[in-house]
Amino acid sequence: MPPSSGEGRSAIASAGGIEALVALLIRQPDLPNLEGDTLCKTNAAGALLNLAQEDALREAIGAAGGIEALVELARDGDAEGKSNAAGALGSLACVQANRQVIVAAGAIEALVTLACDGANAQGASNSGGALTNLALDEANRTAIAAAGGIEALVALARHGEPQGQAYAAGALINLATDDAFREAIAAAGGIETLVVLARNGDAQGRVNAAGALASLACAQAHHPAIVAAGGIETLTTALSGEGDAQGRAYAAAALAYLSHGKSTHLEAIAAAGGIEALAALARDGDAQAKAYAAVALANLVSNGGSGARGFGVNRGFGVNRGFGVNRGFGGGFSCAGVPVADVPHVIQATLGLMSPPISQLKPLLAALGLAARPPNGFPTDGYPTGGFPTGGFPTGGFPTGGFPTG
């Protein structure tokens, strides 16, 4: 039976393995030397990292006292021990009750310090993942910011290994649910860093960076910096590029925010091919992407035309949802109070408002079968009304590939 399989993990737990591994994390007086103690702790943390991929075992590790010992190792262990401990804490932090214990044990300061350790790339990466899940809770977001976590995560997104960059951008999605934290991210150079990552990162890095940019773009004060950094071109490319559907949805959401603003932004979106890309996404994307693309197109029509009010997004990206919660785009989600199934009416309701330079939008929408205005119009009280749902990160424990990762 492979030791990393679900059955193998359950068998280890049933045999008392969790309690034995937690005991190894605590220095034993009969060990002959410090080197042996260090090796035991490092390997025990690696085993707990794998075991913590199971939901039920996450709770058992917390109940056995493993959290406090892992936090101590993340703070005082050798490089590999810190990395393993941070990875295990990241998985344990998927459980809300564990997050409270992790924070109470002083993990945030230890994890922020580790995220800044350029000599320990895997440790910094694992720390970013742990901070992502801890940032699901509002009080933890405040503590992370107070400990210098925003600056550390922006630096990790800029200079880290690809996995670390992706995790850092994921943490910034959760942190960017508050205006003050958005300001701090921007002040730390986060906008420019995220645009570069959305353009040049690996697959998950691009997805998470687009999500963080959407979070930042919900505040119009950040629009100029996103545009100046090349965000419109990068996000437009993400709409039609190959890869994760969630990334396309995030990019459409960011453009929905940016399209509710200055006419120069609308012209830039059009010039970058955004109209065609958004129309294609409204036709062929999943439900979430279609909804975001529809609102972006409606804003292009409304704001680019007679000056009528657009369908601006006025809520945070992921508020009360969190980047680590496995909540998809549920059937109860609505656009300005209208069910997702009726989102195409956002476009239908605004077709009469077009004028150059957005006039080219009409034939594109007509080709999608969206040429008729609904008889009762469409409400314009903002979109979305319930915050942007996210797809969950990470979904299978942290990291998902088992230990060791190399």
Side-chain angles (χ1 to χ4, degrees), residues 26 32 58 81 93 145 153 273 305 309 388 392 397:
I26 304 170
R58 291 170 190 152
L153 288 163
R309 181 182 178 188
F388 283 98

Side-chain angles (χ1 to χ4, degrees), residues 250-263:
Y250 282 151
L255 289 170
Y257 282 120
L258 291 167
S259 63
H260 188 62
K262 292 184 177 180
S263 60

Side-chain angles (χ1 to χ4, degrees), residues 54-100:
E54 303 288 333
D55 287 341
L57 301 188
R58 291 170 190 152
E59 297 178 3
I61 292 169
I67 289 174
E68 295 83 354
L70 286 165
V71 171
E72 181 178 349
L73 185 62
R75 182 174 54 244
D76 300 326
D78 65 5
E80 188 177 2
K82 289 179 179 181
S83 175
N84 294 350
L89 289 169
S91 278
L92 294 173
C94 292
V95 177
Q96 184 174 25
N98 284 344
R99 292 198 289 272
Q100 297 174 0

Side-chain angles (χ1 to χ4, degrees), residues 8-206:
R9 289 190 286 266
S10 297
I12 291 170
S14 297
I18 288 176
E19 293 77 7
L21 289 165
V22 170
L24 287 175
L25 287 174
I26 304 170
R27 180 174 171 81
Q28 301 298 311
D30 57 341
L31 287 174
N33 54 55
L34 182 60
E35 181 180 357
D37 180 51
T38 300
L39 183 61
C40 279
K41 289 182 177 181
T42 296
N43 291 343
L48 289 171
L49 186 156
N50 274 350
L51 291 169
Q53 293 186 42
E54 303 288 333
D55 287 341
L57 301 188
R58 291 170 190 152
E59 297 178 3
I61 292 169
I67 289 174
E68 295 83 354
L70 286 165
V71 171
E72 181 178 349
L73 185 62
R75 182 174 54 244
D76 300 326
D78 65 5
E80 188 177 2
K82 289 179 179 181
S83 175
N84 294 350
L89 289 169
S91 278
L92 294 173
C94 292
V95 177
Q96 184 174 25
N98 284 344
R99 292 198 289 272
Q100 297 174 0
V101 180
I102 290 169
V103 172
I108 287 177
E109 293 78 6
L111 291 168
V112 169
T113 298
L114 184 56
C116 298
D117 188 351
N120 187 352
Q122 189 62 57
S125 173
N126 289 359
S127 176
L131 289 169
T132 295
N133 286 337
L134 290 175
L136 292 170
D137 298 337
E138 182 177 359
N140 295 347
R141 292 194 286 270
T142 300
I144 290 169
I150 287 176
E151 295 78 6
L153 288 163
V154 169
L156 183 61
R158 183 184 302 123
H159 299 303
E161 297 292 323
Q163 185 187 55
Q165 291 179 314
Y167 288 150
L172 292 172
I173 288 181
N174 278 349
L175 287 164
T177 58
D178 181 276
D179 284 337
F181 300 154
R182 294 186 193 110
E183 291 289 340
I185 292 168
I191 289 175
E192 296 79 4
T193 296
L194 289 165
V195 169
V196 171
L197 183 60
R199 182 169 57 243
N200 299 328
D202 70 1
Q204 192 61 55
R206 293 194 300 271

